[in-house]
Amino acid sequence: MATKRDYYEILGITQSANDDEIKAAYRRMAKKFHPDLNKEPNAADSFKEVSEAYEVLSDRQKRSTYDRFGHAGMSGAGANPFEGYNGMGGFSDIFEQFFGGAAQTGQRRAVQKGADINTTLVLTFEEAIFGSEKEVEINRYDTCGRCKGSKSEPGAETQRCPTCNGSGELRKVQNSIFGQFVNVTPCDRCQGEGRIVTNPCKECRGQGRVKITKRIAVKVPPGIDANSRIRISGEGEAGPRGTLPGNLNVGIVIKEHAVFRRVENNILLDLPLTIWQAALGDKLQVPTVDGQPMELEIKPGAQHGEVIRLREKGVPFLRGTGRGDQLVNINIVVPKKLTEEQRQLLLKLSQSMPREQIGQKDRDKDKDKDDKGFFRRIFSDA
């Protein structure tokens, strides 16, 4: 891989150059290497190199990063100032800021694609966990079946646009102190198509597209999460003149469950227990998202907030194999109303477990620890 040249060297300036000096250097080098003015084979590459250098050095934050780390600092995610540029489009934008009008590059305009469509799909908790086959209904523009997007009646001929002479472009020469530059814009009469429809299609009225309602099948993968998006290529709006259609973006909304909650790939279940179930232990059936209850053993002395894990009873991993777990959270419920018999039994139980003894051992241990710490501080200070 070729070593990239220093940005300051490319513009012919020193590292102490100010903003005005950087702009002046770019003007000079851009005029020297622009393909419309320089017909040498490597002129286009040199022009890109000059524009890249200016893009970085004209931005204070990017310049500071470059001064500290060099080209390595420009290679991180999002650091490349020309990421996403196609051909010389980005460089021409910079050139236009200085010299006015668009620079002529000799490249054809990008084919216009149909617009994307966004819609929403509501799933039940179980459908999101295990996946499902669903349908969404959308309204969109489709290519006209009668004219196949040509906008003309079948068999009818179109006329060459007299304004642009069939090129679809209008070119205007601009004079500046740097010479002549060509500003290219789409023809406003034929909308850049180069042809004029003389006998419009009767079905679409010369639009090339018709509005339809369509149901689209959506395959929901197991383990999909809320706020996810499923993209279905080619199911968006039809492109103009029969060009490529856009995409359908399906946003996912998941209904809440009556008893389950989801945290990443685990499923949470709050299990209410009575005081005596927690104290004595119990065996009971708990629901699972699979629809088949499982027997769960509650050991004597279970505490409020204790979690029991059911392995492989959670959410399937969206990218990979296996499943998360179901987490059963013990929630000890204190009865609000008691019969007289129940009240007497609890009263008898409380009398057999004096209040001053409850937790006394732990309090004594803490007190002894504090006392030792206190005396240790005294003797260490003596």
Side-chain angles (χ1 to χ4, degrees):
M1 180 177 179
T3 303
K4 297 189 70 172
R5 293 174 60 201
D6 180 78
Y7 287 148
Y8 293 100
E9 177 186 347
I10 293 171
L11 294 181
I13 56 177
T14 64
Q15 195 166 352
S16 60
N18 58 32
D19 291 345
D20 291 336
E21 291 172 332
I22 293 173
K23 289 181 180 179
Y26 174 72
R27 286 176 180 269
R28 183 175 64 255
M29 303 301 288
K31 179 184 176 184
K32 179 180 178 181
F33 291 114
H34 195 278
D36 286 347
L37 307 176
N38 190 328
K39 301 304 180 183
E40 294 180 3
N42 297 328
D45 292 335
S46 297
F47 179 75
K48 292 180 182 179
E49 191 178 45
V50 167
S51 299
E52 180 180 337
Y54 173 74
E55 176 72 10
V56 173
L57 298 184
S58 63
D59 185 292
R60 292 185 178 181
Q61 184 175 356
K62 292 177 183 177
R63 181 180 179 182
S64 176
T65 302
Y66 178 73
D67 288 344
R68 293 176 62 191
F69 304 107
H71 291 295
M74 300 291 102
S75 61
N80 182 0
F82 301 104
E83 183 177 358
Y85 283 83
N86 182 14
M88 292 179 57
F91 306 123
S92 297
D93 291 341
I94 301 173
F95 193 81
E96 182 179 352
Q97 293 175 11
F98 279 89
F99 305 113
Q104 179 183 359
T105 64
Q107 294 183 346
R108 297 182 62 86
R109 295 188 307 275
V111 176
Q112 186 178 357
K113 185 180 177 182
D116 290 348
I117 297 177
N118 299 318
T119 189
T120 301
L121 178 61
V122 180
L123 303 175
T124 66
F125 193 83
E126 290 82 1
E127 286 173 339
I129 300 299
F130 299 110
S132 60
E133 295 278 350
K134 306 287 287 184
E135 281 190 346
V136 293
E137 185 174 277
I138 59 172
N139 297 315
R140 74 180 188 194
Y141 280 104
D142 238 3
T143 301
C144 176
R146 180 177 178 84
C147 68
K148 310 301 180 185
S150 69
K151 302 183 180 181
S152 297
E153 272 290 291
E157 295 184 357
T158 57
Q159 180 184 13
R160 176 185 292 181
C161 177
T163 303
C164 64
N165 199 29
S167 67
E169 299 176 338
L170 297 179
R171 297 171 180 265
K172 182 180 179 182
V173 178
Q174 292 182 324
N175 295 316
S176 72
I177 59 175
F178 299 100
Q180 289 186 338
F181 299 96
V182 180
N183 185 22
V184 182
T185 59
C187 176
D188 54 0
R189 181 170 183 180
C190 65
Q191 306 301 317
E193 296 185 25
R195 310 291 296 182
I196 294 177
V197 175
T198 56
N199 187 8
C201 172
K202 296 179 181 178
E203 184 171 341
C204 65
R205 299 180 181 180
Q207 298 300 313
R209 303 186 301 175
V210 291
K211 195 80 169 181
I212 67 166
T213 299
K214 186 175 181 179
R215 298 190 66 83
I216 307 294
V218 180
K219 186 175 182 180
V220 179
I224 196 167
D225 203 350
N227 301 321
S228 298
R229 187 177 67 172
I230 299 175
R231 172 175 290 180
I232 304 177
S233 300
E235 291 293 354
E237 303 276 15
R241 302 179 298 280
T243 55
L244 292 173
N247 301 320
L248 173 62
N249 300 316
V250 183
I252 299 300
V253 176
I254 302 175
K255 295 180 181 179
E256 292 186 357
H257 197 276
V259 296
F260 296 121
R261 289 179 291 127
R262 175 176 175 176
V263 178
E264 296 181 348
N265 284 91
N266 294 324
I267 294 178
L268 274 61
L269 171 67
D270 288 326
L271 180 64
L273 294 180
T274 62
I275 298 175
W276 40 90
Q277 281 179 306
L280 302 176
D282 199 357
K283 285 186 178 181
L284 42 84
Q285 298 286 319
V286 295
T288 67
V289 74
D290 296 324
Q292 299 177 347
M294 283 189 63
E295 184 177 89
L296 184 67
E297 181 179 0
I298 307 298
K299 295 182 179 179
Q303 299 297 306
H304 182 82
E306 183 178 333
V307 176
I308 301 175
R309 186 180 296 268
L310 303 180
R311 300 287 182 182
E312 296 286 326
K313 289 297 180 180
V315 181
F317 293 105
L318 188 59
R319 295 176 180 84
T321 57
R323 296 172 60 178
D325 302 328
Q326 178 170 316
L327 307 178
V328 181
N329 180 49
I330 293 179
N331 184 16
I332 298 178
V333 180
V334 178
K336 294 182 178 180
K337 294 183 179 181
L338 297 172
T339 65
E340 183 60 27
E341 180 182 4
Q342 291 169 340
R343 182 177 177 279
Q344 291 298 326
L345 289 172
L346 285 176
L347 183 61
K348 187 175 180 180
L349 175 63
S350 68
Q351 291 173 348
S352 67
M353 300 177 64
R355 293 175 182 172
E356 61 271 14
Q357 293 183 6
I358 300 176
Q360 188 66 40
K361 183 177 180 181
D362 292 335
R363 289 198 296 272
D364 290 343
K365 185 185 298 183
D366 293 339
K367 183 175 182 300
D368 182 59
K369 181 179 179 181
D370 292 340
D371 290 344
K372 288 181 180 179
F374 174 74
F375 286 110
R376 188 180 298 111
R377 290 195 298 274
I378 293 177
F379 287 116
S380 64
D381 293 338

